[in-house]
Amino acid sequence: MSDLTPVETWRAAVLGYWTGLDLQAAKQGQATGVKDTGNRAAVTGGKQMDALQEVVAKIWRADPDITLEVRTTGHNNLPAYFRPSKNWDLLVLYRGSLIAAMEFKSQRGPSFGNNFNNRTEEALGLAADSQMAAERGLFGQLKPWFGFIMFVESAPGSLSAIKVPKNMPFPADPIFEGASYIGRYKIFFDRMVKEGNYDAVALLTAEAGSENFTEPSVSLSLANLEAAIRARIAYIKTLPDDVFDELTH
């Protein structure tokens, strides 16, 4: 029997995205069938990913044999390489040292083209900055674990095939031919993980207002993300305290 987070919990978190509710309120709405979509201020205020963050934070805190400090609110700044700092959505610390950092981003219609470019450029820049900071020893010798969750509205604009420019001096990678914006996200994050820019990524899509989500790639699934988180926790638990302290300080 799997110990992974039940799909119903993830569905409640997806519902929380559309309603701007926290996980507890989203679960209540899921159980009663009353889905209050009136909390517009929470959605426009950047709080729509809070329910998903709650679920992930609970995973990091779930192991009874180790006490990890998980930060999801306030200023979660970390040193960066190309700029002074970066404020992450979720940080995990142990014995005062950085274990993991995660970012949570989303995209809704109708402007999928511009926002796709913005989101991928943000994710690419963050990866370059954080990986270089790790290589330069700004976090100690123990390399942090970097994760990302991307949630995209499933709509005609994100599901339709997008043309690749033909007037470039060199042809585009054929993999992008006929891919939708969701397809492009799949290619982008698959490659980001394979190239070691992120340790794990989850890519979710759902129609507006729906709790029923789709995962375009198994390698970018919530189950894979959670397994990677649990593997990171197991690794930290296995390190003797003196070895951990030497690696991090």
Side-chain angles (χ1 to χ4, degrees):
M1 181 178 178
S2 174
D3 293 327
L4 295 178
T5 301
V7 67
E8 290 78 13
T9 300
W10 291 115
R11 286 174 180 159
V14 170
L15 177 62
Y17 173 85
W18 300 118
T19 60
L21 302 173
D22 62 19
L23 182 61
Q24 182 177 0
K27 282 184 174 180
Q28 183 179 19
Q30 187 184 54
T32 62
V34 178
K35 300 179 180 179
D36 178 14
T37 58
N39 196 347
R40 179 62 180 167
V43 175
T44 57
K47 293 292 187 180
Q48 62 267 36
M49 295 294 281
D50 281 4
L52 282 164
Q53 288 184 32
E54 286 182 56
V55 179
V56 175
K58 186 176 181 180
I59 295 170
W60 283 107
R61 297 188 181 108
D63 194 313
D65 298 326
I66 186 171
T67 301
L68 300 176
E69 178 187 354
V70 183
R71 301 179 183 177
T72 57
T73 59
H75 296 290
N76 298 324
N77 288 295
L78 291 178
Y81 183 75
F82 296 105
R83 49 187 166 169
S85 64
K86 156 63 183 170
N87 189 29
W88 291 76
D89 292 321
L90 184 149
L91 296 183
V92 184
L93 298 98
Y94 177 61
R95 296 169 63 87
S97 297
L98 181 66
I99 299 303
M102 296 186 67
E103 197 76 352
F104 295 72
K105 295 296 183 184
S106 64
Q107 181 181 353
R108 302 175 68 171
S111 301
F112 286 103
N114 289 337
N115 288 330
F116 169 82
N117 291 332
N118 292 337
R119 288 291 179 263
T120 52
E121 288 171 6
E122 290 168 358
L124 185 59
L126 174 59
D129 211 358
S130 55
Q131 293 293 345
M132 189 62 74
E135 291 178 10
R136 294 296 186 267
L138 297 181
F139 309 117
Q141 298 183 60
L142 181 65
K143 182 181 179 297
W145 183 99
F146 295 114
F148 204 107
I149 288 186
M150 185 73 209
F151 182 83
V152 184
E153 179 184 353
S154 180
S158 63
L159 293 169
S160 301
I162 306 301
K163 293 182 179 180
V164 177
K166 301 299 183 183
N167 58 346
M168 298 187 291
F170 303 97
D173 189 328
I175 194 173
F176 293 104
E177 291 290 345
S180 64
Y181 284 117
I182 289 176
R184 289 184 179 187
Y185 273 120
K186 175 184 177 298
I187 296 166
F188 174 79
F189 283 114
D190 265 333
R191 289 183 166 182
M192 292 295 280
V193 173
K194 288 177 182 177
E195 296 297 332
N197 293 289
Y198 292 102
D199 293 282
V201 174
L203 173 62
L204 311 176
T205 72
E207 294 181 359
S210 174
E211 65 188 25
N212 297 313
F213 61 89
T214 299
E215 298 165 308
S217 171
V218 173
S219 62
L220 303 175
S221 64
L222 291 167
N224 187 71
L225 176 77
E226 183 167 353
I229 291 174
R230 291 172 180 264
R232 178 64 172 179
I233 296 171
Y235 168 70
I236 298 301
K237 282 174 54 179
T238 302
L239 287 175
D241 287 347
D242 57 338
V243 175
F244 177 87
D245 290 341
E246 185 172 349
L247 285 172
T248 54
H249 296 94

